[in-house]
């Protein structure tokens, strides 16, 4: 299918945008961001903004060079670090509460003045309403003189985020801080995994956002959008691709040593069936020193999105429960989740259900190393000489 152009605004009185601003704050938003940029690259000046993710920004720099002749204006914004986060006692937190609010408010005002105050009549695209609270501030300010368009990425659309009320004094303090710094349209939302995060209210979407591109329309636009034009590395020589997910860093794992042992066993199986240079390893971007590494395979750069490492020659993709596995369309997708000692079965059910709801092809869930090795044998893996 050919790429579908972005649907114009219904009102003929609305002038075409003078420029386009794109907020891309997480890896699942890359496809949306690149699609919008490609649709407008010959018509408008385009500014793409990334907040707090150096790996994502590095990838977009290379994509800009490869596919856009460096025509995109890329902006990187550091997230503001609250001093409250560095202290433990409630007295110290209370002491820094007001100074931190003032500090972030001033920081965001400077960010807006330097990077966004000049925009008038631009179309501003954003792809998630949760997690990045500074985006709420910037959208509120940009919405006064520009048109806002919300095009949820697949991950955002899949999450069942629910607005929640403040349940205790900590929630009340956090919500008060958010509303005072980012704006009154900030709300608390509950992530399915139990984390409370800032979000943009329904009222803001209804009253301030000029256009919302729903899942059906978005899927129609993105269907057939060729990501190969942005590929930076050739993975045609690999037979297996492993995408790490930082389960330890995200506190999903009950027993870290048992998890490491299972992961070692998985790669011992691969070593019996594939030469080392046929196995690609891609660690999660921005991993910390808690990352669990493996000793077999060729490590690819962290900043490259997993979806840009698909190839017809890759026989098997290994992961746990990320969108990288859900997006596999050709090749065998294998989740190692049922082999890992997660903290509880409720988390396992949630991750598994989420993965299956989003999957574009069947996914196998081996429960043991023996079962995993039979899968490897089934795809034609041969013992390396």
């Amino acid at each position: 299918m050919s790429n579908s152009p972005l649907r114009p605004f219904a009102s003929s009185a609305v002038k075409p945008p003078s420029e386009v601003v794109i907020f891309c704050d997480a890896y699942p938003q890359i496809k949306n961001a690149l699609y919008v940029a490609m649709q407008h690259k010959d018509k408008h000046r385009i500014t793409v903004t990334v907040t707090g993710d150096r790996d994502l920004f590095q990838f977009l720099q290379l994509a800009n060079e490869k596919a856009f002749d460096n025509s995109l204006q890329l902006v990187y914004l550091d997230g503001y670090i609250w001093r409250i986060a560095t202290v433990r006692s409630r007295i110290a937190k209370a002491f820094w509460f007001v100074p931190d609010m003032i500090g972030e408010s001033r920081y965001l005002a400077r960010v807006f003045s330097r990077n966004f105050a000049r925009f008038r009549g631009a179309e501003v695209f954003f792809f998630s309403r949760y997690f990045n609270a500074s985006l709420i501030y910037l959208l509120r300010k940009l919405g006064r003189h520009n048109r806002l368009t919300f095009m949820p990425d697949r991950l955002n659309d899949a999450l069942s985020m629910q607005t929640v009320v403040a349940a205790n004094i900590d929630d009340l303090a956090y919500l008060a801080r958010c509303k005072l710094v980012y704006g009154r349209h900030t709300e608390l939302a509950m992530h399915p995994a139990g984390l409370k995060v800032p979000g943009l209210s329904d009222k803001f979407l209804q009253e301030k956002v000029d256009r919302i591109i729903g899942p059906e329309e978005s899927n129609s636009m993105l269907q057939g959008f060729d990501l190969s034009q942005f590929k930076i590395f050739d993975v045609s020589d690999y037979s297996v691709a492993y995408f790490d997910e930082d389960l330890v860093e995200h506190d999903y794992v009950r027993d870290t040593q048992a998890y490491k042992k299972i992961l070692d066993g998985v790669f011992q199986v691969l070593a019996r069936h594939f030469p080392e240079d046929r196995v690609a390893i891609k660690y999660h971007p921005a991993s910390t020193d808690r990352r669990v590494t493996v000793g077999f395979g060729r490590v690819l750069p962290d900043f490259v999105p997993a979806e840009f490492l698909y190839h017809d020659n890759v026989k098997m993709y290994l992961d746990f429960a990320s969108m990288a596995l859900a997006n596999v369309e050709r090749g065998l997708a294998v989740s190692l989740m049922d082999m890992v000692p997660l903290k509880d079965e409720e988390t396992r059910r949630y991750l598994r259900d989420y993965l299956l709801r989003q999957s574009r092809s069947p996914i196998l869930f081996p429960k043991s190393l023996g079962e995993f090795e039979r899968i490897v044998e089934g795809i034609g893996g041969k013992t390396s000489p």
Side-chain angles (χ1 to χ4, degrees):
M1 177 184 289
S2 61
N3 298 336
S4 303
L6 292 174
R7 177 173 57 81
F9 285 84
S11 173
S12 59
V14 176
K15 295 180 180 180
S18 57
E19 297 186 56
V20 168
V21 179
I22 299 170
F23 286 97
C24 183
D25 292 316
Y27 272 77
Q29 301 173 18
I30 287 177
K31 189 172 185 178
N32 292 41
L34 292 177
Y35 173 80
V36 172
M38 289 299 289
Q39 293 297 311
H40 289 275
K41 71 183 183 76
D42 297 325
K43 307 170 188 175
H44 306 103
R45 182 181 178 182
I46 301 171
T47 298
V48 181
T49 301
V50 176
T51 302
D53 193 327
R54 289 283 183 185
D55 290 313
L56 174 56
F57 187 70
Q58 185 176 359
F59 169 75
L60 289 174
Q61 285 178 309
L62 292 177
N64 188 22
E65 178 182 344
K66 181 177 178 63
F68 295 95
D69 296 323
N70 286 318
S71 63
L72 304 181
Q73 307 299 309
L74 299 181
V75 176
Y76 178 79
L77 304 177
D78 280 313
Y80 185 84
I81 305 299
W82 277 54
R83 282 164 289 190
I84 279 180
T86 66
V87 296
R88 293 186 178 182
S89 74
R90 285 192 173 273
I91 295 176
K93 288 181 182 294
F95 176 81
W96 284 113
F97 187 81
V98 173
D100 274 343
M101 282 199 303
I102 295 172
E104 185 170 17
S105 296
R106 290 175 174 172
Y107 170 73
L108 290 174
R110 290 194 300 271
V111 164
F112 184 83
S113 177
R114 292 171 181 173
N115 298 284
F116 305 104
R118 68 175 182 82
F119 289 106
R120 293 290 190 277
E123 185 167 6
V124 180
F125 287 86
F126 66 105
F127 310 118
S128 175
R129 57 187 287 195
Y130 302 110
F131 304 105
N132 182 6
S134 61
L135 177 61
I136 299 174
Y137 174 93
L138 297 174
L139 290 175
R140 176 171 59 85
K141 301 272 283 185
L142 281 165
R144 295 172 183 172
H145 303 289
N146 304 279
R147 304 207 303 261
L148 303 183
T149 296
F150 179 40
M151 182 183 182
D153 67 78
R154 285 187 65 214
L155 177 59
N156 182 92
D157 186 58
L159 292 174
S160 300
M161 305 287 285
Q162 300 292 329
T163 301
V164 295
V165 297
N168 50 52
I169 189 64
D170 289 334
D171 285 353
L172 283 171
Y174 182 65
L175 183 59
R177 159 204 158 180
C178 288
K179 287 184 176 293
L180 289 170
V181 174
Y182 312 119
R184 63 185 178 87
H185 291 292
T186 309
E187 64 183 12
L188 284 183
M190 178 70 78
H191 187 280
L195 178 68
K196 292 177 182 177
V197 300
L200 194 58
S201 70
D202 289 338
K203 187 174 182 180
F204 185 91
L205 293 179
Q206 293 164 2
E207 297 180 355
K208 306 297 182 180
V209 175
D210 299 89
R211 179 183 175 200
I212 298 176
I213 301 174
E216 185 175 345
E217 184 181 3
S218 178
N219 290 337
S220 176
M221 290 175 174
L222 296 175
Q223 185 176 359
F225 180 54
D226 184 12
L227 291 176
S228 64
Q229 59 192 306
F230 307 102
K231 287 188 175 179
I232 300 166
F233 295 95
D234 181 9
V235 293
S236 59
D237 291 336
Y238 296 104
S239 298
V240 177
Y242 166 72
F243 303 138
D244 180 69
E245 211 172 328
D246 271 358
L247 295 185
V248 174
E249 172 66 21
H250 293 116
D251 291 325
Y252 283 137
V253 174
R254 181 180 70 249
D255 186 333
T256 301
Q257 292 305 314
Y259 166 64
K260 291 179 179 178
K261 184 176 180 180
I262 289 170
L263 205 54
D264 286 342
V266 166
F267 280 87
Q268 288 170 13
V269 169
L270 293 177
R272 289 197 290 269
H273 294 273
F274 294 99
E276 187 170 15
D277 61 2
R278 303 289 293 181
V279 178
I281 311 296
K282 215 288 289 189
Y283 290 108
H284 193 278
S287 294
T288 69
D289 55 6
R290 297 180 69 192
R291 168 194 286 176
V292 176
T293 59
V294 297
F296 181 81
R298 295 289 184 262
V299 178
L300 303 179
D302 296 359
F303 68 84
V304 181
E307 290 81 357
F308 291 80
L309 298 173
Y310 299 147
H311 194 279
D312 288 345
N313 290 350
V314 177
K315 297 180 179 180
M316 180 170 63
Y317 298 91
L318 296 177
D319 200 332
F320 296 94
S322 77
M323 287 295 291
L325 201 62
N327 285 332
V328 171
E329 295 182 356
R330 293 185 294 274
L332 184 63
V334 178
S335 169
L336 302 173
M337 184 170 50
D338 284 355
M339 298 169 59
V340 174
L342 297 184
K343 281 193 169 182
D344 54 68
E345 288 307 308
E346 183 178 351
T347 298
R348 193 187 308 277
R349 284 194 298 271
Y350 161 71
L351 292 174
R352 186 187 181 107
D353 291 346
Y354 166 74
L355 181 62
L356 291 174
R357 283 200 309 272
Q358 297 302 308
S359 63
R360 297 178 180 270
S361 64
I363 298 175
L364 299 183
F365 293 84
K367 299 183 182 299
S368 66
L369 287 173
E371 193 174 333
F372 174 69
E373 185 151 18
R374 288 192 290 274
I375 293 173
V376 174
E377 293 169 348
I379 64 172
K382 298 180 180 179
T383 304
S384 58

